[in-house]
């Protein structure tokens, strides 16, 4: 993928498909290292699946025989001398504390660092496509933090759907304003 924001979109979509009610997208830029964490409370994966998801010829999809999202994210990390780790607990193993935690680190000064891209657009796409799922987005840089939590929006909006036009416009503007202040 040409931008990490597309990897974020892909992995977060997997979280939603795994039944997550909350998906956290956490970015931290510190000392030339970008750390991306995607944490969900979905159904989780057993140890065999966790070991297999980095293989491009492993997929749970029935529409094609390859799954490239996680393998491409792993490649993007490794190209910058970073790493990808995945931990997961199945719902059967722990009915309360289940889900998946993907952590990817990137050396941002490396010549092969893939640009972050328009992460706000990825967050908007997730909210628009999955208005009943909650997302916590947090991007921490030296200059400050950009944050959006759909749970907080739901409290204020009550019965207004998150994917309504006016709400989506507001979210886009809210994220842009925060990035401009960094």
């Amino acid at each position: 993928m040409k931008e990490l924001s597309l990897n974020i979109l892909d992995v977060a979509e997997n979280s939603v498909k795994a039944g997550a009610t909350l998906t956290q997208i956490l970015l931290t830029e510190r000392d030339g290292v970008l750390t991306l964490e995607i944490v969900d409370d979905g159904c989780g994966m057993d140890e065999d699946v966790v070991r297999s998801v980095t293989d491009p010829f492993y997929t749970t999809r029935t529409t094609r025989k390859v799954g490239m999202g996680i393998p491409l994210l792993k490649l993007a990390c490794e190209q910058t001398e970073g790493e990808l780790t995945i931990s997961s607990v199945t719902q059967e193993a722990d009915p309360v504390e289940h889900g998946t935690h993907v952590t990817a680190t990137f050396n941002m000064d490396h010549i092969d660092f893939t640009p972050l891209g328009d992460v706000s657009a990825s967050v908007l796409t997730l909210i628009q496509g999955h208005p009943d799922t909650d997302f916590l987005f947090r991007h921490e840089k030296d200059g400050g933090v950009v944050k959006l939590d759909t749970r907080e929006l739901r409290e204020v909006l009550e019965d207004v759907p998150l994917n309504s036009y006016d709400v989506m416009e507001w979210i886009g503007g809210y994220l842009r304003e925060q990035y401009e202040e960094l």
Side-chain angles (χ1 to χ4, degrees):
M1 294 188 197
K2 294 182 180 185
E3 297 179 343
L4 292 176
S5 62
L6 298 175
N7 291 100
I8 292 168
L9 182 60
D10 181 68
V11 175
E13 282 287 343
N14 290 341
S15 295
V16 173
K17 288 177 187 168
T21 58
L22 173 64
T23 300
Q24 300 176 62
I25 301 166
L26 312 170
L27 295 163
T28 305
E29 294 182 38
R30 190 169 291 122
D31 300 324
V33 175
L34 170 66
T35 302
L36 162 64
E37 295 178 86
I38 299 178
V39 183
D40 70 49
D41 63 357
C43 64
M45 299 179 284
D46 64 34
E47 290 178 24
D48 290 335
V49 174
V50 170
R51 280 192 298 274
S52 300
V53 293
T54 57
D55 179 352
F57 298 103
Y58 174 84
T59 185
T60 58
R61 290 182 166 191
T62 57
T63 55
R64 65 178 187 235
K65 295 184 180 186
V66 295
M68 298 301 289
I70 294 289
L72 288 175
L73 181 60
K74 182 180 181 206
L75 177 64
C77 294
E78 291 173 349
Q79 285 178 328
T80 70
E81 300 173 7
E83 66 179 337
L84 175 77
T85 60
I86 302 171
S87 61
S88 193
V89 176
T90 64
Q91 193 167 9
E92 292 79 25
D94 190 333
V96 177
E97 297 293 323
H98 53 84
T100 301
H101 189 148
V102 175
T103 303
T105 58
F106 306 86
N107 177 350
M108 295 169 47
D109 298 326
H110 197 282
I111 192 169
D112 291 324
F113 176 68
T114 303
L116 184 55
D118 191 351
V119 71
S120 294
S122 291
V123 171
L124 282 167
T125 299
L126 288 164
I127 295 169
Q128 185 171 30
H130 308 287
D132 296 326
T133 301
D134 280 314
F135 296 95
L136 168 63
F137 171 68
R138 182 177 169 88
H139 187 171
E140 184 179 334
K141 294 181 168 192
D142 290 334
V145 175
V146 174
K147 183 182 176 193
L148 177 76
D149 189 337
T150 59
R151 295 169 297 183
E152 293 172 356
L153 294 178
R154 285 184 206 287
E155 287 179 18
V156 173
L157 295 172
E158 296 177 1
D159 294 330
V160 178
L162 291 182
N163 65 347
S164 69
Y165 178 80
D166 290 337
V167 173
M168 293 301 296
E169 281 292 306
W170 183 87
I171 292 171
Y174 180 67
L175 290 171
R176 274 191 304 278
E177 285 176 18
Q178 290 183 76
Y179 273 110
E180 288 169 3
E181 290 178 10
L182 284 181

